Amino acid sequence: RRIIEFHSFMLEKDTVYIQPGDKHIASDVEGDSVRWMDLGKVAGSQDITKALDKVTEYLGPGDITFLHELECTSSSQIQEYQHKTGKWTTMDGELFYGMEADRVVYLGCGLSVESLSRARIKLAVILFWGLEGFHSIDKQEEWYNRHKQHYKEAEKKSLVLELT
């Protein structure tokens, strides 16, 4: 229920796709507390690689589904890590609608709230901006700054824990 509570909170904060008051809770699994990492502006894919290594350690061995935003990352950056480790099922978060996985990592600037509802047991979030994607660096920074505040508020409510 922790993942569901976190997702519901984030939906209340971001009404871009969902209208306030809408409830789209489809799972009743007792998941672990959501973990998140705030990378801020990244200098390159090496920053992402370090964060992914930390997330992999937290999630442990086994299948991990990796959802990323093409608005903030490029597929080649993600595939580079996937080929190096072989530990991921990788998909653009926008294409994962209606699907679920036990363990999910979301990577992006915060735009895809839908991706936060896809994990059944464990969810890790890596929030950042600054890599080449479909949208400008300025737009990524705007989205990142807006969503970072939501994550900080969720952290104060114990809905998400920082992964250090």
Side-chain angles (χ1 to χ4, degrees):
R1 301 236 15 114
R2 292 184 180 272
I3 294 170
I4 294 168
E5 290 169 1
F6 171 67
H7 179 248
S8 295
F9 173 81
M10 295 302 282
L11 279 176
E12 289 175 13
K13 296 295 176 185
D14 189 347
T15 59
V16 173
Y17 299 110
I18 308 283
Q19 295 302 311
D22 284 355
K23 299 288 183 193
H24 296 280
I25 299 172
S27 178
D28 207 18
V29 175
E30 293 288 336
D32 196 6
S33 293
V34 177
R35 301 298 200 277
W36 83 297
M37 295 179 73
D38 178 13
L39 301 184
K41 183 176 182 183
V42 295
S45 59
Q46 68 276 8
D47 294 337
I48 302 296
T49 298
K50 288 177 189 175
L52 290 171
D53 287 342
K54 212 172 259 198
V55 165
T56 301
E57 184 179 316
Y58 159 68
L59 293 174
D63 294 333
I64 299 170
T65 300
F66 178 78
L67 303 178
H68 63 97
E69 288 179 12
L70 289 178
E71 289 85 0
C72 304
T73 60
S74 74
S75 295
S76 62
Q77 293 158 340
I78 305 311
Q79 289 170 353
E80 177 183 323
Y81 186 82
Q82 182 183 18
H83 289 300
K84 183 182 106 174
T85 64
K87 296 181 178 181
W88 306 94
T89 299
T90 306
M91 184 174 263
D92 174 5
E94 297 296 317
L95 301 177
F96 205 70
Y97 278 79
M99 295 185 257
E100 290 184 326
D102 286 343
R103 299 173 323 142
V104 172
V105 175
Y106 163 77
L107 177 69
C109 53
L111 186 60
S112 181
V113 176
E114 174 67 20
S115 294
L116 304 178
S117 69
R118 303 297 93 198
R120 286 189 290 258
I121 298 172
K122 285 189 176 184
L123 171 65
V125 175
I126 301 172
L127 195 65
F128 77 96
W129 67 281
L131 291 180
E132 184 178 322
F134 285 151
H135 289 286
S136 71
I137 299 297
D138 290 341
K139 196 67 168 166
Q140 290 180 39
E141 182 180 17
E142 176 188 323
W143 289 329
Y144 163 83
N145 286 328
R146 185 175 84 211
H147 289 94
K148 177 183 175 180
Q149 297 310 312
H150 301 330
Y151 280 86
K152 290 287 189 185
E153 191 177 334
E155 192 172 23
K156 287 179 184 173
K157 294 177 178 279
S158 300
L159 296 172
V160 62
L161 303 173
E162 189 168 10
L163 183 61
T164 56

Tab-separated table of all heavy atoms in Angstrom, residues 5 21-22 24-27 30 58 72 74 79 87 103 112 118 129-130 135 149 161:
chain	number	residue	atom	x	y	z
A	5	GLU	N	-0.078	4.692	-1.860
A	5	GLU	CA	-0.229	5.953	-1.131
A	5	GLU	C	0.650	7.038	-1.753
A	5	GLU	O	0.219	8.181	-1.912
A	5	GLU	CB	0.126	5.757	0.336
A	5	GLU	CG	-0.878	4.917	1.098
A	5	GLU	CD	-0.379	4.507	2.464
A	5	GLU	OE1	0.748	4.883	2.847
A	5	GLU	OE2	-1.117	3.792	3.157
A	21	GLY	N	-9.110	14.488	-7.714
A	21	GLY	CA	-10.202	13.651	-7.234
A	21	GLY	C	-10.325	12.326	-7.957
A	21	GLY	O	-10.962	11.409	-7.458
A	22	ASP	N	-9.728	12.179	-9.150
A	22	ASP	CA	-9.771	10.903	-9.858
A	22	ASP	C	-8.975	9.868	-9.077
A	22	ASP	O	-7.903	10.156	-8.569
A	22	ASP	CB	-9.175	11.017	-11.263
A	22	ASP	CG	-10.098	11.705	-12.241
A	22	ASP	OD1	-11.240	12.008	-11.854
A	22	ASP	OD2	-9.673	11.939	-13.380
A	24	HIS	N	-7.259	6.110	-9.496
A	24	HIS	CA	-6.891	5.068	-10.448
A	24	HIS	C	-6.005	4.049	-9.753
A	24	HIS	O	-4.900	3.775	-10.183
A	24	HIS	CB	-6.158	5.678	-11.655
A	24	HIS	CG	-7.021	6.597	-12.438
A	24	HIS	ND1	-7.943	6.151	-13.348
A	24	HIS	CD2	-7.133	7.935	-12.428
A	24	HIS	CE1	-8.582	7.182	-13.877
A	24	HIS	NE2	-8.099	8.270	-13.330
A	25	ILE	N	-6.481	3.486	-8.664
A	25	ILE	CA	-5.704	2.519	-7.904
A	25	ILE	C	-6.157	1.125	-8.307
A	25	ILE	O	-7.306	0.764	-8.140
A	25	ILE	CB	-5.888	2.743	-6.388
A	25	ILE	CG1	-5.386	4.135	-6.037
A	25	ILE	CG2	-5.179	1.671	-5.603
A	25	ILE	CD1	-5.663	4.571	-4.626
A	26	ALA	N	-5.211	0.356	-8.835
A	26	ALA	CA	-5.580	-0.951	-9.373
A	26	ALA	C	-4.938	-2.105	-8.618
A	26	ALA	O	-5.188	-3.246	-8.925
A	26	ALA	CB	-5.178	-1.035	-10.840
A	27	SER	N	-4.093	-1.809	-7.639
A	27	SER	CA	-3.366	-2.866	-6.944
A	27	SER	C	-3.535	-2.703	-5.446
A	27	SER	O	-3.664	-1.596	-4.930
A	27	SER	CB	-1.880	-2.795	-7.320
A	27	SER	OG	-1.175	-3.781	-6.619
A	30	GLU	N	1.044	-5.111	-0.776
A	30	GLU	CA	1.787	-4.446	0.288
A	30	GLU	C	3.228	-4.239	-0.153
A	30	GLU	O	4.101	-5.046	0.129
A	30	GLU	CB	1.747	-5.281	1.573
A	30	GLU	CG	0.384	-5.393	2.189
A	30	GLU	CD	-0.085	-4.105	2.841
A	30	GLU	OE1	0.754	-3.281	3.227
A	30	GLU	OE2	-1.306	-3.927	2.947
A	58	TYR	N	20.016	-1.618	-3.883
A	58	TYR	CA	18.812	-1.568	-3.046
A	58	TYR	C	17.795	-2.631	-3.469
A	58	TYR	O	17.223	-3.325	-2.637
A	58	TYR	CB	18.171	-0.173	-3.105
A	58	TYR	CG	16.710	-0.160	-2.719
A	58	TYR	CD1	16.316	-0.422	-1.413
A	58	TYR	CD2	15.716	0.084	-3.660
A	58	TYR	CE1	14.979	-0.438	-1.058
A	58	TYR	CE2	14.380	0.081	-3.312
A	58	TYR	CZ	14.017	-0.179	-2.025
A	58	TYR	OH	12.692	-0.202	-1.678
A	72	CYS	N	13.516	13.399	-21.163
A	72	CYS	CA	14.684	13.788	-20.359
A	72	CYS	C	15.895	12.896	-20.576
A	72	CYS	O	16.972	13.173	-20.042
A	72	CYS	CB	14.323	13.770	-18.885
A	72	CYS	SG	12.921	14.815	-18.472
A	74	SER	N	17.859	9.863	-23.449
A	74	SER	CA	17.810	9.224	-24.763
A	74	SER	C	17.912	7.715	-24.566
A	74	SER	O	18.501	7.241	-23.599
A	74	SER	CB	18.947	9.723	-25.656
A	74	SER	OG	20.173	9.166	-25.251
A	79	GLN	N	20.256	2.291	-22.796
A	79	GLN	CA	20.707	1.005	-23.333
A	79	GLN	C	22.174	0.744	-23.022
A	79	GLN	O	22.575	-0.400	-22.831
A	79	GLN	CB	20.451	0.947	-24.832
A	79	GLN	CG	18.976	0.835	-25.145
A	79	GLN	CD	18.677	1.018	-26.625
A	79	GLN	OE1	19.541	1.359	-27.416
A	79	GLN	NE2	17.427	0.795	-26.990
A	87	LYS	N	20.839	-6.306	-16.473
A	87	LYS	CA	19.912	-6.501	-15.362
A	87	LYS	C	18.530	-5.891	-15.578
A	87	LYS	O	17.709	-5.928	-14.687
A	87	LYS	CB	20.502	-5.876	-14.089
A	87	LYS	CG	21.762	-6.534	-13.621
A	87	LYS	CD	22.254	-5.884	-12.364
A	87	LYS	CE	23.509	-6.593	-11.885
A	87	LYS	NZ	24.028	-6.028	-10.658
A	103	ARG	N	9.303	-5.059	-9.501
A	103	ARG	CA	10.298	-4.059	-9.110
A	103	ARG	C	10.533	-3.110	-10.276
A	103	ARG	O	10.880	-3.541	-11.371
A	103	ARG	CB	11.585	-4.750	-8.685
A	103	ARG	CG	11.317	-5.659	-7.493
A	103	ARG	CD	12.446	-6.530	-7.045
A	103	ARG	NE	13.266	-7.050	-8.107
A	103	ARG	CZ	14.592	-7.177	-8.012
A	103	ARG	NH1	15.210	-6.809	-6.928
A	103	ARG	NH2	15.270	-7.686	-9.007
A	112	SER	N	6.407	11.858	-15.762
A	112	SER	CA	5.527	10.701	-15.911
A	112	SER	C	5.052	10.172	-14.559
A	112	SER	O	5.610	9.237	-14.002
A	112	SER	CB	6.244	9.585	-16.683
A	112	SER	OG	5.380	8.486	-16.835
A	118	ARG	N	3.320	1.683	-11.484
A	118	ARG	CA	3.562	0.416	-12.180
A	118	ARG	C	4.228	-0.644	-11.326
A	118	ARG	O	4.276	-1.802	-11.697
A	118	ARG	CB	4.403	0.658	-13.434
A	118	ARG	CG	3.798	1.662	-14.419
A	118	ARG	CD	2.474	1.191	-15.001
A	118	ARG	NE	1.353	1.678	-14.235
A	118	ARG	CZ	0.128	1.166	-14.294
A	118	ARG	NH1	-0.142	0.162	-15.064
A	118	ARG	NH2	-0.836	1.656	-13.565
A	129	TRP	N	17.788	16.188	-14.217
A	129	TRP	CA	17.609	16.918	-15.474
A	129	TRP	C	18.991	17.202	-16.050
A	129	TRP	O	19.989	17.096	-15.358
A	129	TRP	CB	16.811	18.208	-15.273
A	129	TRP	CG	17.506	19.261	-14.472
A	129	TRP	CD1	17.610	19.298	-13.113
A	129	TRP	CD2	18.201	20.398	-14.953
A	129	TRP	NE1	18.317	20.392	-12.721
A	129	TRP	CE2	18.695	21.100	-13.837
A	129	TRP	CE3	18.455	20.912	-16.221
A	129	TRP	CZ2	19.427	22.279	-13.955
A	129	TRP	CZ3	19.175	22.090	-16.327
A	129	TRP	CH2	19.651	22.756	-15.207
A	130	GLY	N	19.042	17.537	-17.340
A	130	GLY	CA	20.289	17.981	-17.942
A	130	GLY	C	20.858	17.120	-19.050
A	130	GLY	O	21.827	17.515	-19.675
A	135	HIS	N	13.069	17.130	-25.194
A	135	HIS	CA	12.759	18.499	-24.796
A	135	HIS	C	14.020	19.249	-24.400
A	135	HIS	O	15.026	18.664	-24.022
A	135	HIS	CB	11.751	18.500	-23.640
A	135	HIS	CG	10.388	18.080	-24.075
A	135	HIS	ND1	9.550	18.889	-24.807
A	135	HIS	CD2	9.724	16.916	-23.903
A	135	HIS	CE1	8.429	18.250	-25.061
A	135	HIS	NE2	8.514	17.047	-24.532
A	149	GLN	N	9.854	19.468	-5.663
A	149	GLN	CA	9.116	19.975	-4.504
A	149	GLN	C	8.067	18.966	-4.037
A	149	GLN	O	7.848	18.794	-2.833
A	149	GLN	CB	8.465	21.327	-4.826
A	149	GLN	CG	9.461	22.413	-5.134
A	149	GLN	CD	10.565	22.526	-4.090
A	149	GLN	OE1	10.308	22.559	-2.889
A	149	GLN	NE2	11.809	22.542	-4.540
A	161	LEU	N	11.259	7.646	0.808
A	161	LEU	CA	12.502	7.751	1.577
A	161	LEU	C	13.656	8.012	0.622
A	161	LEU	O	13.717	7.421	-0.453
A	161	LEU	CB	12.771	6.462	2.343
A	161	LEU	CG	11.676	6.003	3.307
A	161	LEU	CD1	12.006	4.621	3.852
A	161	LEU	CD2	11.473	7.002	4.424
